Amino acid sequence: MVVKTGKYLRILGYNAVWQASLRTHELIASANRDGRIFLTRNAHIPYSYPPPARWLRLISPAPTEQLAQITAEYGLDPEKWLFSRCIKCNVLLERIDDKEYVRDKVHPNVFARHEQFYRCPSCGTVFWHGSHVVNTRGKLGIG
């Protein structure tokens, strides 16, 4: 229900996990065990399941509005760790000090236009702050 919002949280640099294969009670147990906040749109959570230790019911169906609700509720800084985490692996990115490392991993135009690159130590994906950063910031309402 809120996977896209989880991806947005990762874009902001916050540690977010989800497992589509788990049932609701298993997700609640996992959140409780890991000390996480359980995010849901399900209004029946406190009536149908053992309630999560910490949880927030998201009101809007729109992921960007859900993200705004979460950042307001918990006082999250949307820019503090922006683009610091792999959206696939949820791992903190590593700065690549030697640009030559990515020469064969990115398009030649990207290599020529950018000086700073980052890499996910888990999946190896290479990241850079291109036009997608500006577009994503606009979509998420970040100055």
Side-chain angles (χ1 to χ4, degrees):
M1 244 190 272
V2 296
V3 170
K4 186 169 257 189
T5 303
K7 289 179 182 179
Y8 290 164
L9 283 166
R10 286 181 181 178
I11 288 170
L12 297 187
Y14 291 95
N15 187 332
V17 297
W18 57 86
Q19 288 181 277
S21 63
L22 296 182
R23 295 172 42 192
T24 302
H25 71 278
E26 294 170 312
L27 292 169
I28 291 170
S30 177
N32 288 346
R33 187 173 50 253
D34 295 344
R36 294 181 175 278
I37 299 166
F38 185 78
L39 302 173
T40 185
R41 290 205 55 238
N42 186 339
H44 302 288
I45 288 293
Y47 312 111
S48 303
Y49 301 94
R54 298 169 59 203
W55 69 290
L56 176 65
R57 178 171 174 247
L58 301 172
I59 305 304
S60 174
T64 54
E65 292 175 15
Q66 292 172 357
L67 186 65
Q69 180 186 353
I70 295 163
T71 57
E73 178 75 22
Y74 296 105
L76 303 182
D77 183 344
E79 297 202 50
K80 187 172 184 178
W81 297 299
L82 190 61
F83 302 110
S84 64
R85 190 172 288 276
C86 180
I87 61 170
K88 292 186 256 181
C89 301
N90 196 34
V91 175
L92 290 173
L93 301 178
E94 297 174 338
R95 181 182 173 130
I96 297 172
D97 293 325
D98 183 4
K99 181 179 172 180
E100 285 300 317
Y101 173 83
V102 301
R103 182 180 290 279
D104 297 333
K105 296 174 177 37
V106 299
H107 191 278
N109 290 341
V110 170
F111 185 82
R113 285 196 322 265
H114 298 280
E115 292 303 315
Q116 187 57 64
F117 295 89
Y118 303 86
R119 153 185 190 284
C120 173
S122 180
C123 70
T125 301
V126 174
F127 297 88
W128 61 93
H129 290 188
S131 60
H132 62 282
V133 168
V134 173
N135 296 338
T136 301
R137 288 175 71 98
K139 182 176 188 170
L140 299 182
I142 303 168

